[in-house]
């Protein structure tokens, strides 16, 4: 079976500001990232998704772009970028960039010109109205319409007010964006992750939502929702509140155009959408190559075998509906959500569950995306001093709690710290030296460093330990690479009638693998459906089993054990 590189690859997301500080200013940069490519090669990943590295006003840390064809001064220069790309390619590592197409920074030259008058050449590059035409909310900071005194009109922003939405109905905007795309493709990048791609168009009738909340009151309600019913209600409100602001007609046409821009280039350049809607794969060949399977990581009840099975069956069926070639893409974490270690841990067996998570990523069907730091078990670091928060979404939430809800400053700081995405973006922990080897000792880093770097949560300490989480990641990544069925095989659930145990097969032309994972601390005695004359061979056991005594019949699966066996044909 011949697959494209992005179907075989393990992707690794780098959040540039937090990866490695090469010039000692407390902020990650290209010199730092380049110096860590050997580490990434040794980890075994095949491709990097780089979160935005462009000049930015940093209200949304890079996702408010001032120049699509530049490099933020804190990260280095275009030459530093080129060097990073060449060095990555030299090691067989591809690089995809973040394309933030929905909005720019309010300091982008396009917006500065657009807001300067109603008649300038870029007057129609953003979404302007004389008065707010509806009750739409920004998903980050209140009303979606903000007044510009210079122009005497309101502009629309789905995200923060510092992130005005571009007007994608204007062909000049489309052309400018595709030019930016070509700029980096010409330099040799291997593709793009498309930020918030479903939000580029709004309902043309500007229909108001009918949720009895503002963003502020909904966020507060969300923070207080405890029962599954309350949480479900919040989800429904969110969906209702924003349904006229994303997923509108027009996106497919643009994705087709973007796809043809990429297809002008050699080397199978690829697109992955920050959206879980398989419809953005078009007919399977004419829009995006991948969309993320976000529902996998969105489970109130945690990552249970039942949830995983339901998710995979639904997802694979939805993709098959698009085309037999439509390819899955799984992830458990990124810079917008709690770290894998916390999100899927239970506070007691976090270390075991972190191993189950990477084993799952490496054995499911589809391209896996990992997030920097998860390989050493980096955990959320909740910042409770609001003056240290950099995530505008959280600082806005803090001010809403204090100023409109009368919540005490102390309580508001706690809640804002938990909600903030700063907690999962703290600097990468390389060593047990002061500043975790991220920046030189004594330098103030852009976000505080999680003090657990001193307790073995760092690359150096774990590299030397064959039993560390890092060593386990390397083992699992290599295992995937060396077993073709994990890349190209189909996925079938094996029913064991045991709610704690996940069991499935991955079968390709060349081999059939059975994967068994115990999601509980309890040992389970399992009874497998008859395998006939076929004798299973043990390939991997996290419990260090011995192949000579191995049989699936009557298997006693240990606490949190991960086991992979092969059925010979
Ligand atoms: C999605 C990105 O992942 C997130 O970090 C950002 O804040 C929004 N899009 C806006 O660009």
């Amino acid at each position: 079976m011949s697959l494209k590189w992005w179907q075989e690859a393990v992707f690794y997301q780098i959040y540039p500001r937090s990866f490695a500080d090469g010039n000692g200013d407390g902020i990650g940069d290209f010199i730092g990232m380049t110096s860590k490519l050997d580490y990434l090669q040794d980890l075994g990943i095949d491709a990097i998704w780089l979160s935005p590295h462009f000049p930015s006003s940093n209200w949304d840390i890079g996702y408010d772009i001032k120049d699509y064809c530049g490099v933020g001064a804190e990260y280095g220069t275009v030459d530093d970028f080129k060097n990073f790309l060449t060095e990555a390619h030299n090691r067989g590592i591809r690089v995809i960039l973040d394309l933030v197409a929905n909005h720019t920074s309010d300091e982008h030259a396009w917006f500065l010109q657009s807001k300067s008058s109603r008649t300038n050449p870029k007057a129609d590059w953003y979404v302007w109205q004389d008065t707010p035409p509806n009750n739409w909310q920004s998903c980050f900071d209140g009303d979606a319409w903000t007044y510009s005194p210079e122009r005497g009109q309101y502009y629309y922003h789905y995200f923060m007010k510092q992130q005005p939405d571009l007007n994608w109905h204007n062909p000049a905007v489309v052309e400018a964006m595709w030019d930016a795309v070509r700029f980096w493709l010409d330099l040799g990048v291997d593709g793009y992750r498309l930020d918030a791609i479903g939000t580029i168009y709004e309902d043309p009738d500007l229909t108001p939502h009918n949720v009895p909340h503002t963003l502020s009151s909904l966020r507060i309600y969300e923070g207080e929702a405890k029962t599954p019913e309350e949480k479900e209600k919040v989800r429904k409100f969110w969906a209702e509140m924003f349904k006229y602001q994303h997923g509108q007609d027009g996106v497919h046409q643009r994705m087709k155009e973007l796809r043809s821009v990429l297809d002008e280039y050699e080397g199978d350049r690829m697109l992955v959408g920050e959206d879980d809607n398989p419809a953005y794969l078009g007919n399977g060949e004419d829009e995006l190559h991948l969309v993320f399977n976000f529902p996998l990581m969105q489970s109130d009840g945690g990552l249970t075998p039942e949830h995983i099975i339901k998710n995979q069956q639904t997802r694979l069926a939805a993709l098959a509906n698009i085309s037999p070639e439509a390819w899955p893409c799984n992830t458990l974490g990124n810079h917008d959500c709690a770290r894998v270690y916390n999100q899927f841990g239970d506070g007691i067996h976090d270390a075991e569950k972190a191993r189950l998570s990477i084993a799952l990523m490496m054995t499911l069907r589809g391209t896996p995306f990992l997030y920097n730091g998860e390989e050493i078990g980096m955990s959320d670091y909740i910042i409770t001093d609001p003056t240290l928060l950099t995530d505008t979404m959280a600082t806005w939430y803090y001010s809403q709690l204090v100023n409109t809800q009368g919540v005490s400053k102390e309580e508001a700081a706690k809640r804002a710290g938990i909600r903030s995405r700063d907690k999962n973006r703290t600097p990468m922990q390389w060593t047990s030296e002061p500043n975790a080897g991220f920046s030189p000792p004594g330098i103030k880093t852009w976000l505080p460093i999680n003090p657990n770097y001193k307790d073995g949560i760092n690359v150096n300490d774990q590299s030397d330990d064959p039993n560390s989480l890092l060593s386990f990641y390397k083992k699992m990544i290599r295992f995937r690479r060396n077993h073709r069925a994990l890349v190209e095989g189909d996925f079938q659930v094996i029913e064991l009638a045991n709610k704690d145990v996940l069991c499935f097969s991955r079968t390709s032309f060349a081999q059939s693998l059975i994967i068994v994972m115990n999601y509980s601390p309890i040992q389970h005695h399992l009874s497998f459906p008859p395998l006939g004359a076929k004798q299973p061979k043990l390939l991997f056991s996290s419990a260090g089993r011995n192949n000579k005594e191995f049989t699936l019949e009557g298997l006693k699966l240990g606490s949190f054990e991960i086991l992979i066996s092969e059925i010979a044909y």
Side-chain angles (χ1 to χ4, degrees):
M1 191 177 192
S2 141
L3 294 175
K4 305 284 191 207
W5 69 266
W6 47 268
Q7 295 175 297
E8 302 191 348
V10 173
F11 277 77
Y12 180 96
Q13 179 191 357
I14 291 186
Y15 196 68
R17 217 171 179 78
S18 282
F19 198 59
D21 172 12
N23 66 354
D25 64 356
I27 298 175
D29 49 44
F30 278 111
I31 297 178
M33 285 186 264
T34 309
S35 74
K36 299 299 182 188
L37 286 168
D38 285 340
Y39 163 75
L40 294 178
Q41 189 179 25
D42 182 46
L43 179 60
I45 57 104
D46 307 283
I48 292 168
W49 151 29
L50 199 62
S51 275
H53 63 278
F54 313 98
S56 165
S57 318
N58 284 320
W59 288 95
D60 193 15
I61 319 293
Y63 287 92
D64 44 333
I65 295 175
K66 288 203 288 195
D67 171 8
Y68 285 90
C69 298
V71 169
E74 65 270 51
Y75 303 127
T77 62
V78 173
D79 280 340
D80 293 333
F81 171 83
K82 286 185 189 163
N83 184 41
F84 167 76
L85 186 63
T86 307
E87 291 298 326
H89 284 168
N90 286 346
R91 289 165 178 78
I93 298 176
R94 316 245 182 175
V95 179
I96 69 167
L97 303 183
D98 223 313
L99 179 65
V100 186
N102 175 66
H103 49 270
T104 67
S105 155
D106 63 348
E107 291 178 28
H108 193 296
W110 298 344
F111 187 71
L112 296 178
Q113 188 173 1
S114 190
K115 75 168 185 179
S116 67
S117 73
R118 298 186 190 190
T119 52
N120 69 76
K122 294 201 170 45
D124 196 27
W125 277 46
Y126 293 82
V127 182
W128 293 98
Q129 293 280 334
D130 288 342
T131 51
N134 54 31
N135 59 356
W136 286 359
Q137 299 289 286
S138 133
C139 71
F140 278 166
D141 63 356
D143 288 343
W145 301 95
T146 290
Y147 186 65
S148 157
E150 273 172 275
R151 180 155 157 160
Q153 281 185 313
Y154 290 78
Y155 64 90
Y156 170 71
H157 50 97
Y158 184 89
F159 294 98
M160 294 168 201
K161 55 176 147 325
Q162 295 85 358
Q163 294 171 299
D165 271 44
L166 284 160
N167 173 13
W168 276 81
H169 295 285
N170 183 338
V173 167
V174 180
E175 207 180 301
M177 196 57 75
W178 297 166
D179 282 350
V181 164
R182 285 195 177 90
F183 175 84
W184 299 101
L185 290 174
D186 287 338
L187 292 184
V189 303
D190 298 285
Y192 287 96
R193 174 257 190 192
L194 305 183
D195 186 71
I197 197 58
T199 63
I200 64 174
Y201 285 106
E202 297 78 48
D203 169 36
D205 298 330
L206 302 170
T207 313
H209 72 76
N210 59 10
V211 175
H213 279 288
T214 58
L215 180 80
S216 172
S217 63
L218 183 56
R219 278 232 186 273
I220 284 148
Y221 181 39
E222 183 184 35
E224 286 162 0
K226 296 282 172 298
T227 65
E229 293 74 32
E230 286 168 340
K231 287 184 182 169
E232 186 50 32
K233 204 162 169 193
V234 170
R235 254 194 298 272
K236 283 207 175 116
F237 277 156
W238 268 105
E240 273 299 306
M241 184 178 266
F242 291 102
K243 76 175 179 193
Y244 298 109
Q245 297 172 249
H246 63 82
Q248 300 295 313
D249 291 347
V251 185
H252 292 290
Q253 183 49 35
R254 295 298 173 222
M255 293 305 96
K256 287 194 175 93
E257 289 165 23
L258 177 57
R259 175 66 176 259
S260 38
V261 172
L262 262 86
D263 288 347
E264 289 165 17
Y265 290 80
E266 298 199 324
D268 294 318
R269 318 288 173 110
M270 63 85 68
L271 298 167
V272 50
E274 194 215 357
D275 204 294
D276 52 37
N277 187 354
Y280 291 128
L281 303 180
N283 67 11
E285 293 188 340
D286 61 348
E287 294 189 36
L288 309 185
H289 299 81
L290 298 171
V291 288
F292 288 105
N293 173 14
F294 289 133
L296 178 65
M297 60 196 254
Q298 292 158 350
S299 158
D300 288 342
L303 208 51
T304 61
E306 187 193 358
H307 170 73
I308 296 164
I309 289 170
K310 244 195 235 157
N311 168 273
Q312 289 298 296
Q313 289 176 331
T314 315
R315 194 76 193 161
L316 294 171
L319 292 171
N321 249 343
I322 299 276
S323 133
E325 270 83 47
W327 195 255
C329 174
N330 298 301
T331 187
L332 291 176
N334 58 46
H335 65 296
D336 286 332
C337 54
R339 280 190 171 274
V340 171
Y341 207 77
N342 301 86
Q343 192 156 343
F344 305 113
D346 58 6
I348 303 167
H349 308 105
D350 296 349
E352 292 87 345
K353 294 201 167 201
R355 287 175 193 235
L356 285 167
S357 292
I358 182 64
L360 183 71
M361 283 296 99
M362 292 303 115
T363 52
L364 285 181
R365 180 171 164 83
T367 303
F369 273 68
L370 312 177
Y371 175 50
N372 60 201
E374 67 170 78
E375 72 273 25
I376 51 168
M378 279 182 67
S379 56
D380 289 343
Y381 181 51
I382 296 178
I383 298 169
T384 48
D385 175 352
T387 63
L388 294 180
L389 290 174
T390 71
D391 181 0
T392 309
M393 195 228 276
T395 50
W396 176 81
Y397 183 55
Y398 173 80
S399 70
Q400 292 295 303
L401 287 170
V402 173
N403 301 328
T404 71
Q405 303 297 315
V407 173
S408 74
K409 286 188 174 169
E410 202 187 332
E411 173 63 19
K414 219 192 300 164
R415 288 203 221 165
I418 291 170
R419 169 155 308 272
S420 154
R421 297 170 297 173
D422 287 329
K423 67 176 185 297
N424 46 286
R425 297 173 174 178
T426 58
M428 182 78 182
Q429 296 161 206
W430 295 101
T431 70
S432 58
E433 307 286 298
N435 270 341
F438 168 78
S439 286
I443 299 291
K444 187 171 175 347
T445 55
W446 81 280
L447 274 180
I449 293 182
N450 189 329
N452 69 7
Y453 73 90
K454 294 183 214 126
D455 308 324
I457 312 300
N458 69 70
V459 169
N460 246 14
D461 288 358
Q462 295 194 22
S463 296
D464 299 338
D465 175 1
N467 297 316
S468 66
L469 183 61
L470 178 59
S471 299
F472 190 76
Y473 261 71
K474 288 187 194 169
K475 213 183 282 172
M476 289 310 319
I477 294 171
R478 277 171 182 65
F479 192 91
R480 179 181 177 87
R481 176 176 293 162
N482 296 334
H483 293 87
R484 213 43 210 166
L486 292 181
V487 177
E488 63 185 30
D490 73 356
F491 170 93
Q492 296 292 335
V493 173
I494 300 177
E495 296 288 351
L496 294 182
N498 185 316
K499 70 168 184 37
D500 287 338
V501 178
L502 175 68
C503 184
F504 56 92
S505 64
R506 301 290 318 277
T507 305
S508 68
F509 181 69
Q511 66 181 169
S512 183
L513 302 182
I514 295 184
I515 293 99
V516 199
M517 297 191 210
N518 185 354
Y519 275 77
S520 81
I522 302 162
Q523 189 189 65
H524 284 284
H525 201 146
L526 302 173
S527 101
F528 277 81
L531 296 165
K534 296 170 188 168
Q535 268 318 302
K537 185 171 129 201
L538 181 68
L539 296 184
F540 179 85
S541 155
S542 60
R545 282 172 190 273
N546 176 341
N547 192 28
K548 286 199 193 114
E549 291 154 19
F550 180 70
T551 162
L552 280 174
E553 274 159 47
L555 176 73
K556 281 198 190 104
L557 192 67
S559 160
F560 296 108
E561 184 174 353
I562 299 157
L563 186 151
I564 306 177
S565 67
E566 180 177 19
I567 305 287
Y569 283 107

